[in-house]
Amino acid sequence: MRVSKDIGQAELFRGVVALIEEADTIAICAHTSPDGDAIGSGLALAEIIRAAWPDKRVTNLLADKDPVPRIYRFLPRSDTFVHAADYDVTPDLFICVDLSQRSRLADAEEICARARRVAVFDHHPSGDRFWDAGVVRPDAAAAGVIISEFGLHSLGALTPTMAQNLLCAIVTDTGRFQYQNADSEAFETASMLVDAGASPAEVALNVYQSDRLAYVRLATRVLARIQVFAKGRIAYSFATAEDIARAGVTLDELDGLIDLVRCIEGTQVALFLKEVDGGKVRGNLRSKCDLDVSGVAREMGGGGHRAAAGFTAAGTVDEVLAIVLPKLRSLFDGTASNVAGAADGATPAAAPAADVRGASR
Ligand code: 5GP
Ligand code: MN
């Protein structure tokens, strides 16, 4: 089992441990629009550091001004987050969790810039290195896997509250162990966390069985307007600002809608768009096959993993669809040439995106 204390782990964590040991004040922050991995891994890391180095002053930061998403408020100590905009300390150490791209720190970017040292625990393919020490393992299913290993390395055993936060991180980032990243290490780590006191049922109850009716009503609209093209290999749907305002849901409640789009049989690539504040559209991209959607996300100004990536782009749903659908189609060029050129109706070239979506509004 990879989650064990051994010489390799000591080597892996040596740099971060040295930074923690020489710091008094430590700020921990994950990415903007935090998900279960961002929230759970950050909380667990803070608890691990407090347990292993009791004299450190550790603060969990939220990168944005929004509160902790409702479905993650059951997590232990989730009420202790401080908004980055309200944190005026210059920390000795700033630890990025579940991100290795500075721009995704939003309001916390300037705290990271003024911190004396910077560390990273992440599992995204990283860009320019801006940290002094860290562990970036794109093969890890979640940042929570790496933090679990760090906790075992630092403490020998995890508390039930650490375990609960970390199990939530792994369950959500693997889509309940259904995505391609659900490898044996994710299962082994989850098993260890359940042994340490984590409750899978409590994670499921709060994250997957606590939808508000308002959300479900909006979800039915999103389901009803799913479109497929490229011989069914690409599926997409969207929620407009008007849909969201009319339903009375918060943006973080919509994070699960991409999973509805990816459910269609034969679909290999799924896209969900939602109109957010400031005339922007947030996109979620998923691949159910070997095709890498992170390149399209990067071209759209975002990033992420091969099979799960995202972006934020200026414009309306119609405008962004018109740009992103041809890029998705081109993913199939070469790998499925009969698909790219197929006369299959609703191609963005054959029909403007506005027409494509108009029929299903
Ligand atoms: P989601 O679609 O759930 O928001 O994100 C899927 C994955 O892509 C996550 O691992 C997330 O961290 C990453 N991701 C989402 N949006 C962005 C973005 O704008 N930039 C980068 N670099 N990564 C993103
Ligand atoms: Mn993650």
Side-chain angles (χ1 to χ4, degrees), residues 31 35 37-38 98 122-124 141-143 173 305:
H31 54 79
D35 53 17
D37 192 23
D98 199 27
D122 189 31
H123 69 129
H124 292 89
D173 253 28
H305 312 276

Side-chain angles (χ1 to χ4, degrees), residues 193-262:
L193 294 171
V194 174
D195 276 345
S199 164
E202 197 188 339
V203 173
L205 182 66
N206 285 278
V207 179
Y208 300 109
Q209 297 165 35
S210 298
D211 292 338
R212 293 192 310 132
L213 201 52
Y215 163 81
V216 177
R217 300 268 187 262
L218 175 60
T220 62
R221 285 178 76 84
V222 169
L223 271 174
R225 53 165 82 113
I226 291 176
Q227 296 281 326
V228 297
F229 69 103
K231 290 199 167 168
R233 289 175 171 86
I234 304 174
Y236 67 91
S237 189
F238 58 87
T240 65
E242 190 193 333
D243 294 328
I244 295 166
R246 199 182 325 154
V249 295
T250 57
L251 287 174
D252 63 80
E253 285 184 276
L254 309 190
D255 285 352
L257 290 174
I258 181 64
D259 287 323
L260 301 181
V261 184
R262 71 180 284 152

Side-chain angles (χ1 to χ4, degrees), residues 168-209:
C168 180
I170 296 169
V171 168
T172 53
D173 253 28
T174 58
R176 298 175 250 188
F177 301 99
Q178 290 175 14
Y179 301 153
Q180 296 96 316
N181 62 353
D183 57 6
S184 64
E185 184 185 38
F187 280 95
E188 284 169 4
T189 308
S191 172
M192 179 278 292
L193 294 171
V194 174
D195 276 345
S199 164
E202 197 188 339
V203 173
L205 182 66
N206 285 278
V207 179
Y208 300 109
Q209 297 165 35

Side-chain angles (χ1 to χ4, degrees), residues 322-356:
I323 298 167
V324 73
L325 293 185
K327 292 185 190 296
L328 292 181
R329 169 173 286 278
S330 70
L331 283 178
F332 292 89
D333 289 347
T335 56
S337 54
N338 58 327
V339 174
D344 55 3
T347 72
D355 296 347
V356 172

